[in-house]
Amino acid sequence: MFLRRLGGLIGLSLTLCCGTAYAFKLDQVPGALSRSVVPIDYRVELDADPYADQFSGRQTVRFDLRRATNEIVLHADALTVRADSLDGVALTMPVEADAQAQTITIRLPRKLQPGRHTIGLSWQGALDENGEGLYVARYLTPAGSEKRMLVTDMEPIGTRRMMPLFDEPAFRARFDISVRTPARFTVLGNMPQASERSLPDGRKEVRFMPTPKMASYLVALAIGEFEAARATHDGIELAIWTTEGLSQHTGYALAVTWQVLDYYHQWFGIRYPLPKLDQLAVPGKRGAMENWGLITYGEPLLVLDPDLAGHSQREGSFTTIAHEIAHQWFGNLVTMAWWDDLWLNEAFAEWMGVKAARELNPEWRALDTLGKERDKAMRDDALPTAKPIARPVASDRAAFDSFDATTYNKGHMVIGLLEQYLGERGLRDGIRSHLVKHAYSNATGADLWDALAKRSGKPVAAFAQAWTTRPGHPTGLAERSCDGGQEKISLRQQRYGFGSVAAADEQWPLPLQLAAQDGAARERIELGSAPLSLAGPPCRMLRSVEPSPFDLWRLAWDDASLHTLLARFPQLSSEQRARLLGDAWALAQTGEQRIDTVIAMLDALPVSDTPQSWSSAIQVMRAVRALARNTPQAAAWDARVRGWLAPVAERLASLPADQHAQPAFAVLTAEVETLRGLAGDAGVIALARQQFAREEPNVPRDRYIGLLKVYAAHAQPAEFDALTARSRANRDTGLEWAYGHALSFAPTSQAVDSVLALSLENALPRAVRDSLAGWLAEHGNARQVWAFTLAHADTLFARASTWARRYIVSSPLEGARDTVLAAEIDAYAAAHLSDDERPTVQQALAACARNAEAWQRIAAPLAQALSVPDSAPTAVTVEVATPKGDAS
């Protein structure tokens, strides 16, 4: 059976490889470059050394000219380019650079006529550490010596920093790349090596097999001193590459790769299309990048010590690897035509990664954890600045703004809704048809809807476009009444949100499911623009809306129904309790419910409830705690948190060892302990100090990571200095983010200053170092972070990537509700950022306004519920930084 399936997959793969690719309408795709010059392939030769300051390159570009022209315009950024041949004839042509547009214009010696042509280019560029294009990554060896490697990160517009080219996703072409570098380095690329030869000067030249036709942002190279764990699986050459001394800890990542490839071969019905799949652990990198055949990751995602790694690191590694490998089909084999359909790449890969985790690791209960992703998707989507999932992108630099929670998280939820609407087979078969039709070419959202509709027979476009082309999401307003012993439920909807979008009269297609508490048959309904009135069974049946993991709406019951549900709260399903609590907190922030309801639900939550339910409760406790920071309500809320969680901790400690070790309970144990400690539990604080003092902690890694935060939040100056020193000396990839997060809980203004100073050094991994300012702001240090940003703006901007500039300005607003500070940052952004960069700052400003609005609504009733004086002003809340002692 396996061989029969494998043979079918190989046959389909050959069909894709050799068949006619779908020809989309290039002329209709947005972009800065002319559609009259279409690249066919690039023959590239690079000279690069990780320890040099510059690199150089030369190439021959073969292209089709569709209309006669006197000039050719390509992308190039921070490169000095010469044009030195045309159609094989050596000659020098004028090259005019436009730094703002990131283009070069080559003035041709004559009017070039339509047909196939070649042009020769050579160039030089600088090697820096900005994290985009071909860049330098520094790292320390296990022995403590500093080394360098070169690696690429091209999405969305980094390739033009390595070579001049047509750098838009619609221009798919083949890349035939060779690299000259010192002989001691290993060179990796998208494809297997075709040849390697020694050069007279002691260097070597490595040439790779030509790639398939692919988008330019998928080009990948790496040059450095690497070691590898290798395997051949299902005919595909696999390797996990690391810096020296780390490959011994890549067994988990390699095993995940086998599992995921097998699963995707079956699910997609199409074999992985390349002969090899390399995955590289890059020191200091954030996240991962799906380069075709050479995926790059931050080190902790591939390097896991099997004796130490916690479940959170294992699950994060699995879902990220599954996400990036899913891109090899959805994104690489078939690519978006333009950045307005970025969500097709990212949302699908996000959904597919969780789906693979759910089906290959059922003990993780991956669907149960989707609440966090759902809430993250809905937070930004509730703001006046919310954007559609599929949004117009005016320029390629504006594409940076699309890599956000709306694209990833909300898009993920919408794919889940589509699967519910079409059924698993309907979605899968439609995606298979889509991939076959558009293989080695580009496609749009409309192409996907067409494929899904043809295979399912359902009107997919209307349903999908309602969720992808408009921002926001609704509140479903439900009212229950009893007439003559028969229940009646009335349903309508309005937009959920803050500021100008609050309670707007907007509607979405909501597939709802009503279920009675006695387990009677479920009733499926769709709530659209018209209100619904549903007559039902006897009133005693007490029907409710059954939650689904992918619901993108809040549900608000009338007061009487909510009171009835609260009275029966312990008897509801765990999923219902978690959803009611999460929605109650969201609705309390907009004034549609009272914070008292949230507290009542937390009071009524059974101590023995599921990890899913208590994890949702902890999210709510953290969110209230963050809003109440530096207010009279803070200490009283922490006392309530300790009271809620103490019996949960006792119950978890009493579980049998085999149950306690299950992933869901292990993670919940760490979450409960961490929040108790941050809220001031003396026993947990003492445990944190005890574990930090040990040479080797004797608690599981998930718990230790949480205890580091507790230790930092309550540290005395000498203790915080010890944490800082240990963070600097750390060589455990599994703890590099943990130490960074812990440092951001700096308990005094002096400690905050010391952590901010760290962000200017190279002691911590780059991605951690660059995140410190935002994390510190999130923990109540917004004004101190902003003062630091202003004082060091030139240094911060000079070393920042194009991607990072906007976050330097927006990060101080993380978690803030200080509207005066927001106005200062808005004025600074207007003076110092481009129009393409400012939307990210506008989103941060809107989030700050949301926090102020939410606090204004809950401050007084929260004070009353906690029996503490309420000093919050009645106007818009302003958070003023004050010296802190105890961080709780």
Side-chain angles (χ1 to χ4, degrees):
M1 183 177 240
F2 174 77
L3 291 176
R4 181 178 298 176
R5 179 178 65 82
L6 181 61
L9 290 171
I10 292 173
L12 182 51
S13 182
L14 291 173
T15 301
L16 290 174
C17 177
C18 305
T20 302
Y22 172 73
F24 70 101
K25 296 179 180 178
L26 179 64
D27 290 332
Q28 296 180 5
V29 177
L33 300 185
S34 167
R35 271 48 185 148
S36 64
V37 184
V38 181
I40 303 302
D41 52 47
Y42 302 87
R43 175 68 178 92
V44 186
E45 298 175 359
L46 287 176
D47 285 82
D49 181 340
Y51 293 86
D53 295 327
Q54 289 190 318
F55 71 100
S56 62
R58 56 210 149 269
Q59 68 176 345
T60 300
V61 185
R62 193 159 57 112
F63 60 93
D64 281 339
L65 185 63
R66 302 165 73 188
R67 287 180 287 274
T69 184
N70 290 309
E71 64 183 29
I72 296 175
V73 181
L74 304 88
H75 284 112
D77 183 20
L79 301 176
T80 302
V81 183
R82 297 176 298 280
D84 41 33
S85 73
L86 181 64
D87 289 335
V89 178
L91 73 163
T92 300
M93 293 166 281
V95 177
E96 299 171 7
D98 185 332
Q100 181 64 27
Q102 299 180 345
T103 59
I104 56 170
T105 301
I106 302 168
R107 304 296 179 188
L108 302 175
R110 63 182 186 278
K111 194 162 198 173
L112 207 58
Q113 297 304 308
R116 184 154 294 183
H117 299 276
T118 62
I119 192 166
L121 305 171
S122 56
W123 65 92
Q124 286 186 320
L127 291 173
D128 54 33
E129 300 178 58
N130 65 359
E132 60 185 338
L134 180 67
Y135 71 95
V136 175
R138 297 175 184 265
Y139 63 97
L140 294 177
T141 68
S145 59
E146 184 178 278
K147 290 191 175 182
R148 293 160 59 116
M149 59 186 284
L150 292 179
V151 67
T152 54
D153 201 326
M154 304 303 203
E155 191 177 27
I157 55 172
T159 318
R160 65 190 67 172
R161 295 180 66 89
M162 188 182 83
M163 56 187 284
L165 79 167
F166 301 85
D167 196 17
E168 293 174 1
F171 290 119
R172 294 179 72 110
R174 295 180 181 86
F175 291 83
D176 184 346
I177 297 177
S178 62
V179 177
R180 296 182 178 187
T181 194
R184 71 180 187 275
F185 296 125
T186 299
V187 186
L188 306 175
N190 299 91
M191 298 293 286
Q193 285 191 12
S195 64
E196 179 176 321
R197 67 185 181 98
S198 298
L199 300 175
D201 60 6
R203 297 182 302 156
K204 67 179 179 182
E205 180 184 74
V206 174
R207 184 173 183 180
F208 296 99
M209 294 169 58
T211 70
K213 289 178 62 178
M214 68 181 193
S216 55
Y217 73 86
L218 297 172
V219 171
L221 281 175
I223 305 170
E225 296 174 76
F226 306 132
E227 60 184 38
R230 302 173 186 268
T232 300
H233 183 72
D234 200 6
I236 303 166
E237 296 297 322
L238 305 178
I240 309 288
W241 295 88
T242 70
T243 56
E244 63 186 83
L246 298 181
S247 64
Q248 61 184 314
H249 298 316
T250 58
Y252 177 79
L254 200 55
V256 168
T257 303
W258 299 342
Q259 285 182 287
V260 169
L261 281 171
D262 287 345
Y263 178 71
Y264 288 166
H265 282 163
Q266 185 174 15
W267 200 91
F268 288 118
I270 302 170
R271 274 184 59 79
Y272 173 73
L274 301 186
K276 63 95 173 174
L277 175 57
D278 288 334
Q279 297 176 94
L280 171 66
V282 180
K285 180 178 174 59
R286 179 195 298 274
M289 176 58 204
E290 67 267 20
N291 315 300
W292 217 356
L294 175 57
I295 307 174
T296 54
Y297 300 80
E299 279 184 328
L301 293 165
L302 291 183
V303 180
L304 286 77
D305 186 324
D307 297 325
L308 295 176
H311 173 71
S312 294
Q313 187 184 3
R314 290 174 186 270
E315 186 170 353
S317 171
F318 188 103
T319 54
T320 304
I321 291 171
H323 174 114
E324 302 306 331
I325 294 179
H327 274 306
Q328 307 303 296
W329 285 265
F330 216 99
N332 299 5
L333 181 65
V334 177
T335 306
M336 62 198 165
W338 179 245
W339 299 107
D340 50 7
D341 273 326
L342 173 70
W343 83 276
L344 287 175
N345 284 11
E346 300 302 342
F348 182 82
E350 192 78 0
W351 174 79
M352 201 71 201
V354 173
K355 185 177 184 68
R358 185 175 81 234
E359 298 197 12
L360 297 175
N361 301 279
E363 71 279 7
W364 291 358
R365 297 181 62 84
L367 272 181
D368 292 349
T369 66
L370 282 182
K372 295 177 182 178
E373 185 148 350
R374 172 180 174 267
D375 287 341
K376 185 176 181 181
M378 297 168 82
R379 278 181 65 78
D380 287 351
D381 201 42
L383 302 176
T385 51
K387 298 176 285 289
I389 297 172
R391 68 194 73 164
V393 176
S395 69
D396 47 19
R397 275 181 289 185
F400 287 107
D401 195 48
S402 293
F403 291 84
D404 60 10
T406 299
T407 293
Y408 286 78
N409 301 78
K410 186 180 178 183
H412 174 186
M413 297 295 110
V414 168
I415 299 292
L417 280 177
L418 277 171
E419 186 179 39
Q420 290 178 6
Y421 177 62
L422 300 174
E424 182 176 11
R425 183 171 180 176
L427 180 67
R428 185 200 62 201
D429 290 352
I431 287 174
R432 286 179 175 182
S433 296
H434 176 74
L435 292 174
V436 169
K437 182 175 182 179
H438 301 285
Y440 300 102
S441 187
N442 300 71
T444 66
D447 294 320
L448 178 59
W449 310 146
D450 180 64
L452 293 173
K454 286 179 178 176
R455 292 307 295 258
S456 69
K458 293 187 178 182
V460 177
F463 181 88
Q465 288 173 1
W467 286 105
T468 60
T469 61
R470 295 162 48 199
H473 59 271
T475 297
L477 303 168
E479 184 173 353
R480 180 189 290 107
S481 60
C482 193
D483 186 8
Q486 295 297 112
E487 183 187 62
K488 177 183 175 183
I489 293 181
S490 300
L491 295 164
R492 61 186 178 88
Q493 60 172 300
Q494 63 186 25
R495 183 166 175 177
Y496 173 85
F498 295 84
S500 60
V501 301
D505 184 19
E506 297 182 44
Q507 288 80 38
W508 289 259
L510 306 189
L512 304 177
Q513 184 171 257
L514 291 179
Q517 296 304 307
D518 65 354
R522 290 170 170 81
E523 180 182 359
R524 296 181 182 274
I525 59 173
E526 182 172 303
L527 177 61
S529 57
L532 284 179
S533 184
L534 305 168
C539 296
R540 61 179 174 79
M541 303 288 280
L542 191 62
R543 287 185 301 171
S544 185
V545 176
E546 191 80 359
S548 163
F550 298 101
D551 292 349
L552 271 171
W553 50 86
R554 303 295 182 185
L555 188 65
W557 286 99
D558 64 282
D559 289 344
S561 299
L562 189 58
H563 181 77
T564 302
L565 287 167
L566 270 173
R568 299 186 59 175
F569 202 63
Q571 286 76 50
L572 302 178
S573 71
S574 176
E575 291 79 9
Q576 287 178 318
R577 285 192 293 267
R579 182 60 55 82
L580 282 168
L581 175 57
D583 286 351
W585 166 235
L587 295 165
Q589 294 172 73
T590 56
E592 295 167 87
Q593 287 183 8
R594 287 179 59 83
I595 192 68
D596 312 60
T597 303
V598 176
I599 294 173
M601 289 180 180
L602 289 169
D603 284 337
L605 202 62
V607 170
S608 60
D609 211 342
T610 63
Q612 173 203 9
S613 190
W614 272 109
S615 184
S616 297
I618 287 170
Q619 272 188 271
V620 172
M621 293 177 202
R622 286 174 177 155
V624 177
R625 190 172 187 271
L627 272 186
R629 184 178 286 112
N630 296 331
T631 72
Q633 291 91 321
W637 182 257
D638 275 350
R640 294 296 286 269
V641 167
R642 296 194 300 270
W644 284 317
L645 294 183
V648 180
E650 291 178 12
R651 179 235 171 183
L652 291 170
S654 68
L655 291 174
D658 58 339
Q659 189 176 3
H660 194 270
Q662 291 175 10
F665 285 103
V667 171
L668 179 63
T669 298
E671 289 182 330
V672 168
E673 188 169 67
T674 302
L675 188 53
R676 288 176 67 212
L678 293 175
D681 184 278
V684 177
I685 295 169
L687 177 63
R689 288 183 169 129
Q690 177 195 84
Q691 291 297 317
F692 187 81
R694 294 178 61 91
E695 283 191 26
E696 294 292 338
N698 63 355
V699 297
R701 177 61 63 89
D702 289 317
R703 287 180 62 193
Y704 183 65
I705 287 172
L707 289 171
L708 281 176
K709 299 175 185 177
V710 175
Y711 178 87
H714 299 281
Q716 298 299 316
E719 292 174 323
F720 198 82
D721 289 345
L723 175 65
T724 303
R726 191 174 294 183
S727 303
R728 287 173 173 273
N730 176 59
R731 298 293 176 266
D732 184 339
T733 58
L735 286 177
E736 60 184 39
W737 287 92
Y739 280 120
H741 280 294
L743 289 171
S744 70
F745 281 86
T748 65
S749 59
Q750 292 79 10
V752 171
D753 280 339
S754 70
V755 177
L756 287 169
L758 263 181
S759 72
L760 295 177
E761 303 176 13
N762 292 323
L764 302 182
R766 179 189 176 91
V768 176
R769 180 191 75 197
D770 291 348
S771 301
L772 288 173
W775 292 341
L776 285 163
E778 191 176 359
H779 296 146
N781 305 290
R783 283 193 169 272
Q784 197 168 343
V785 170
W786 180 237
F788 171 86
T789 301
L790 290 175
H792 299 279
D794 289 345
T795 301
L796 294 170
F797 278 116
R799 70 177 190 179
S801 65
T802 307
W803 182 296
R805 284 173 47 88
R806 65 203 69 207
Y807 296 107
I808 292 171
V809 179
S810 66
S811 287
L813 287 173
E814 288 289 333
R817 48 179 168 78
D818 184 340
T819 54
V820 174
L821 175 62
E824 292 178 24
I825 290 176
D826 189 20
Y828 183 92
H832 294 86
L833 296 183
S834 69
D835 290 344
D836 290 332
E837 294 170 317
R838 290 193 63 199
T840 300
V841 179
Q842 295 299 318
Q843 189 87 339
L845 295 168
C848 180
R850 172 199 59 210
N851 295 342
E853 184 180 335
W855 179 246
Q856 184 176 352
R857 287 198 174 97
I858 72 168
L862 182 63
Q864 185 176 3
L866 299 174
S867 301
V868 297
D870 172 29
S871 62
T874 55
V876 174
T877 302
V878 175
E879 178 178 294
V880 179
T882 55
K884 296 185 298 177
D886 189 285
S888 65

